[in-house]
Amino acid sequence: MNNLLVMPMVIPLLTGVFLVFLRPYVRIQRIVSLLSVLGTLGVAVYILNRIQTEGILKLDFGGWLPPYGILFVADSFSALLVVTTMVVTGILLLYAFSSIGKAHENMFFYPVVFFLVAGVNGSFLTGDLFNLFVCFEVMLLASYVLITLGGRKVQLVESIKYVSINVLSSWFFLLAIAYLYGTVGTLNMAHLSMRVAEAGQDPLLTVIGIIFLLVFSLKAGLLLYFWLPGSYSAPPTAVAALFGALLTKVGIYALFRVFTLIFYHEPEITHTMIGVMAALTMIGGGIGAIAYNDVRQVVSYNVVIAVGFILVGLAVSTEAAIQGSIYYLIHDMIIKALLFLLAGTMIYLTGTARIERMSGLIRNYPILGWLFFITMLSLTGIPPLSGFIGKVYVGQGAVEAGAFVLLGLAFLSSIFVLYSLLRIFMNCFWGETIINEDDDVPLPKGMLIPCVLFGLLTVALGLGAEGIAVYVSDAAHTLMNPDIYIEAVMNGNR
């Protein structure tokens, strides 16, 4: 039954191929898309629960045992992210049905989304670095299409920057892989961990680790986020939400996996660098979030702040901090999708992205207004919403490690988030309405319902945090104890 491990990648991949041939049949594309998401989600949930009873699962392709063959590995960390990815994708597809437009739907929108999801899930599940690179490229190639879909001038301008920086980072990724293979002679992550431990992570390996840090930082938007606000503001709302919810999270996952499993022997160098970069990212993201009057830019800089906050847990590297980062990572995938949808819906209703040109929206669209308010509280970390538990655990881990500067900056970032979103709420939703009865744009239920679903999820994740506690705890324990992963891959189930 370990063959199921490949299904979260294969199902979206085959769905994407199948949908290419259904280009003229939009309604059938929508039905097939939802069925595919539900099927993949079911498989992912089954895998996650099997891990709790049987331990880490692996699949050796072609019967080639580690370290020689290609393999997929599922632990609680990767399985949790696959489950969250499919939940978010399913709800975003519901929003896309009402917002993306038939012109986009007839331009292979749904196939490309599933190719992107296949790359994301493959990145979470692969057990060797070269296949991580391959899955990254599958994901990025799909994102190149999605960012230009529609062909507006702003999209083409931002896509040049987005494609250029990702091609450069991919080149560095290959360079780092080549140096690492030349040094230790393997790319299997578990075997790499053993070889690096044997070598004691000498200066050469530490330099290679720093190259990986730069590569994944570009992917995640850690300090090197200059490309992110423009790129995430340009595409249609459903695409921007997909990017904000998923793409940076793959880079974050890679950082956690590589720097807890392979390059963890010199934390005073690598993890200190991660801590400094996380601190600067939170500061820069906070300044950007309060500096702009464009709703899309404010939302994009909130993505940057979250990246910095999540990686505080990796920099601190205590079990509590890692647990907090995992909680917050899951929360952020859900709440950032909601935030992008709310921002895009506001622009759809008013015809502008400028904060000063919106006012009183809550009078005409009360559900939308209160959803934005809940989103603001959740991102700030107000209990009992989903952002609270992650912030508490990260704070506890930082105190345990004595990282009080990072702790202060992490919670200062919450004030930046609160101020930036409160400014939008007070200016855009409160006050005198700018929309008279004749100009009132109806809000389609197909756009409102996905937002409500995300709002319910952030409340449920906060109130029901105990429901996923066992998974998060197991994920953090595995990350903090690489021997568990190594044993499962090298000597575990065949």
Side-chain angles (χ1 to χ4, degrees), residues 222 252 255-256 271-272 274-283 305-318 320-326 328 390-391 393-399 401 403-411 413:
L222 176 66
I252 292 170
L255 283 167
F256 271 87
H271 290 62
T272 300
I274 293 169
V276 172
M277 294 170 76
L280 294 174
T281 300
M282 288 186 289
I283 293 169
I305 295 172
V307 170
F309 183 86
I310 291 166
L311 286 161
V312 167
L314 178 58
V316 170
S317 279
T318 65
I322 296 287
Q323 274 188 267
S325 289
I326 296 169
Y328 202 82
K391 294 203 171 191
Y393 272 109
V394 169
Q396 178 186 332
V399 169
F404 297 109
V405 174
L406 273 179
L407 175 66
L409 288 172
F411 286 98
S413 72

Side-chain angles (χ1 to χ4, degrees), residues 1 77 130 135 177 193 207 254 287 320 324 336 346 436 456 467 470:
M1 291 297 286
F77 185 37
F130 186 76
C135 292
I177 287 172
S193 183
V207 170
I287 293 170
K336 283 300 186 302
M346 290 164 62
N436 59 45
L456 292 174
V470 62

Side-chain angles (χ1 to χ4, degrees), residues 414-461:
S414 298
I415 298 175
F416 281 110
V417 170
L418 177 62
Y419 177 79
S420 67
L421 297 182
L422 189 60
R423 188 162 60 103
I424 294 175
F425 184 73
M426 296 304 294
N427 282 280
C428 300
F429 287 98
W430 227 242
E432 290 296 323
T433 180
I434 59 168
I435 302 174
N436 59 45
E437 291 185 5
D438 296 329
D439 297 329
D440 194 357
V441 178
L443 177 57
K445 289 184 179 179
M447 295 172 70
L448 181 61
I449 290 173
C451 296
V452 171
L453 290 175
F454 277 127
L456 292 174
L457 272 177
T458 190
V459 174
L461 193 59

Side-chain angles (χ1 to χ4, degrees), residues 140-417:
L140 290 172
L141 285 171
S143 71
Y144 299 158
V145 177
L146 289 173
I147 197 173
T148 56
L149 198 63
R152 292 182 301 121
K153 182 180 178 181
V154 65
Q155 289 179 267
L156 298 176
V157 169
E158 291 300 334
S159 67
I160 292 171
K161 181 168 61 178
Y162 178 77
V163 173
S164 299
I165 197 66
N166 277 295
V167 168
L168 181 65
S169 66
S170 295
W171 181 82
F172 274 108
F173 196 175
L174 268 181
L175 183 71
I177 287 172
Y179 274 125
L180 187 59
Y181 185 76
T183 304
V184 296
T186 184
L187 291 176
N188 179 291
M189 291 186 193
H191 200 222
L192 272 171
S193 183
M194 295 169 63
R195 288 285 180 89
V196 172
E198 289 167 5
Q201 195 175 323
D202 57 29
L204 175 59
L205 285 169
T206 300
V207 170
I208 294 171
I210 291 171
I211 298 175
F212 276 109
L213 173 58
L214 294 175
V215 168
F216 295 140
S217 296
L218 273 169
K219 307 285 189 186
L222 176 66
L223 185 60
L224 307 171
Y225 58 80
F226 53 89
W227 57 270
L228 191 152
S231 300
Y232 283 21
S233 302
T237 299
V239 176
L242 197 66
F243 283 13
L246 301 184
L247 294 194
T248 55
K249 309 309 183 288
V250 179
I252 292 170
Y253 167 82
L255 283 167
F256 271 87
R257 183 64 74 195
V258 168
F259 287 94
T260 58
L261 181 62
I262 302 170
F263 300 109
Y264 63 91
H265 303 279
E266 295 289 343
E268 64 275 8
I269 299 174
T270 53
H271 290 62
T272 300
M273 287 185 67
I274 293 169
V276 172
M277 294 170 76
L280 294 174
T281 300
M282 288 186 289
I283 293 169
I287 293 170
I290 63 175
Y292 283 91
N293 286 325
D294 186 307
V295 172
R296 294 168 300 190
Q297 293 282 342
V298 174
V299 169
S300 296
Y301 274 103
N302 271 276
V303 173
V304 174
I305 295 172
V307 170
F309 183 86
I310 291 166
L311 286 161
V312 167
L314 178 58
V316 170
S317 279
T318 65
E319 193 157 325
I322 296 287
Q323 274 188 267
S325 289
I326 296 169
Y327 270 118
Y328 202 82
L329 184 56
I330 295 167
H331 145 82
D332 199 63
M333 292 170 76
I334 293 167
I335 205 67
K336 283 300 186 302
L338 174 56
L339 187 59
F340 273 95
L341 292 190
L342 292 173
T345 305
M346 290 164 62
I347 295 168
Y348 166 80
L349 295 171
T350 61
T352 181
R354 304 290 298 180
I355 294 174
E356 68 272 16
R357 295 177 187 169
M358 301 184 204
S359 181
L361 289 176
I362 202 166
R363 295 172 184 262
N364 301 76
Y365 312 102
I367 297 176
L368 195 72
W370 293 116
L371 276 174
F372 191 93
F373 185 72
I374 290 170
T375 303
M376 177 183 70
L377 296 182
S378 185
L379 277 166
T380 308
I382 304 298
L385 301 172
S386 59
F388 172 70
I389 190 74
K391 294 203 171 191
V392 168
Y393 272 109
V394 169
Q396 178 186 332
V399 169
E400 289 173 359
F404 297 109
V405 174
L406 273 179
L407 175 66
L409 288 172
F411 286 98
L412 182 63
S413 72
S414 298
I415 298 175
F416 281 110
V417 170

